[in-house]
């Protein structure tokens, strides 16, 4: 799934932290390098994201502030009044061509924050003050994909067990469900898998599990009793996209129990214009990024007509197998 990290940069302040030691023990051959602050490495100038992605390094750090962030307009909030996310990790082990992280971060190295207790405390305070919270747990990373050496997903599921007003979404492309399958399903926790046609996975979602592997994992989660969301987002206008996505809907309908799916979220490509500019500069090999996008304010997306066509094709195909009430369309 990922190459073993050759170097691990560790903030001096958390060198002896028990969680640091747990993570480092998973990579006995890695060279350990002390640093003052993670930003000294992560934010330094003249880094090459594409070259770093070939052999990313691990950075272990302590987050000092801002443990909750308001959710982005690019992400569906499912009508929850308090939609937030946190950043237990920065960057992803996968290499999807459409990923906004490569335009947002100057480095492809993976940052892991070890002081989870501070995140827990901030979340408790928010719940006490506001009464409820919809928390996206895997926002600037794929947290479940890291579970073999960074067991944040399990810890947060356990944290949420006695907090009925906390709803969490854990978004992933990973097949690592077995790492949390021993836990009791929580009806307030949504395991959300991003799904794409195999053609898109092969050509654009580099390093990610196959469609069949993801479907088998989703089947296990449903059988175990977890609340599952399917995210077909972004739908990309690749060559012959209609055929690929209609075939995807057919496959999902045949292989997944509709009663086990809480929602199917569909949406088209959209991104912050500054992020896209950064990505285009470093990723000139990606045809999907050089589309004639429509620009509105600080957002680039397919045109209204293209987006409408995408969403109509996808929802029509899904309605053959799932209830219309299960299908949630994101226009933002």
């Amino acid at each position: 799934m990922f190459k073993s990290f050759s170097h691990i940069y560790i903030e001096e302040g958390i060198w002896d932290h028990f969680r640091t030691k747990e993570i480092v023990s998973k990579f006995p051959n890695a060279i350990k390098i002390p640093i003052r602050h993670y930003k000294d490495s992560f934010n330094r100038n003249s880094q090459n994201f594409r070259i770093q992605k070939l052999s990313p390094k691990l950075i272990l750090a302590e987050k000092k502030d801002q443990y909750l962030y308001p959710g982005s307009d690019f992400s569906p909030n499912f009508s929850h009044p308090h939609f937030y996310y946190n950043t237990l990790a920065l960057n992803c082990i996968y290499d999807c061509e459409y990923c906004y992280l490569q335009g947002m971060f100057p480095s492809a190295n993976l940052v892991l924050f070890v002081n989870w207790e501070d995140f827990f405390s901030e979340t408790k305070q928010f719940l006490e003050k506001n009464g409820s919270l919809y928390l996206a747990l895997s926002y600037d990373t794929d947290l479940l994909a890291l579970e073999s050496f960074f067991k944040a997903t399990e810890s947060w599921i356990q944290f949420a067990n006695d907090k009925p007003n906390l709803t969490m979404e854990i978004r992933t492309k990973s097949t690592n469900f077995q790492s949390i399958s021993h836990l009791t399903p929580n009806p307030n926790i949504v395991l959300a898998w991003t799904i794409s046609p195999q053609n898109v996975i092969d050509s654009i979602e580099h390093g990610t599990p196959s469609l069949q592997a993801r479907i088998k994992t989703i089947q296990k989660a449903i059988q175990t009793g977890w609340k599952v969301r399917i995210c077909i987002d972004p739908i990309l206008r690749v060559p012959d996209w209609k055929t690929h996505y209609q075939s995807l809907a057919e496959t999902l309908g045949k292989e997944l129990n509709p009663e086990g799916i809480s929602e199917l979220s569909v949406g088209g490509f959209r991104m912050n214009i500054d992020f896209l500019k950064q990505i285009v500069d470093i990723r000139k090999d990606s045809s999907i990024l050089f589309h004639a996008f429509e620009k509105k304010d600080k957002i680039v997306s397919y045109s209204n007509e293209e987006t409408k066509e995408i969403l109509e094709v996808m929802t029509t195909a899904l309605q053959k197998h799932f209830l219309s009430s299960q299908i949630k369309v994101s226009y933002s």
Side-chain angles (χ1 to χ4, degrees), residues 84-102:
Y84 283 74
Y85 70 98
N86 63 18
T87 53
L88 299 165
L90 306 178
N91 268 328
C92 181
I93 63 170
Y94 300 136
D95 188 22
C96 301
E97 294 181 15
Y98 56 76
C99 181
Y100 69 91
L101 297 178
Q102 57 194 330

Side-chain angles (χ1 to χ4, degrees), residues 189-235:
I189 295 177
V190 181
L191 302 182
W193 270 272
T194 297
I195 294 290
S196 299
Q198 188 59 49
N199 170 271
V200 170
I201 293 171
D202 290 338
S203 60
I204 295 170
E205 296 182 356
H206 308 294
T208 65
S210 69
L211 173 60
Q212 276 303 313
R214 294 186 214 182
I215 288 175
K216 288 181 180 179
T217 302
I218 293 167
Q219 289 171 336
K220 292 176 184 177
I222 292 172
Q223 291 165 2
T224 310
W226 285 92
K227 189 174 183 178
V228 170
R229 175 179 296 140
I230 302 297
C231 304
I232 309 171
D233 186 357
I235 300 169

Side-chain angles (χ1 to χ4, degrees), residues 19 116-117 120 124 137 147 151-164 166 168 170 179-186 189 191 226:
R19 204 163 279 127
W116 303 347
E117 290 72 21
F120 291 149
K124 286 180 182 177
L137 193 63
E147 194 71 7
K151 293 186 175 298
T153 303
E154 178 175 346
S155 293
W156 275 84
I157 291 172
Q158 293 172 335
F159 169 77
N161 280 339
D162 62 351
K163 297 170 182 63
L166 173 61
M168 293 198 314
I170 303 169
S179 64
I180 60 169
S181 61
H182 62 286
L183 300 174
T184 301
N186 183 328
I189 295 177
L191 302 182
W226 285 92

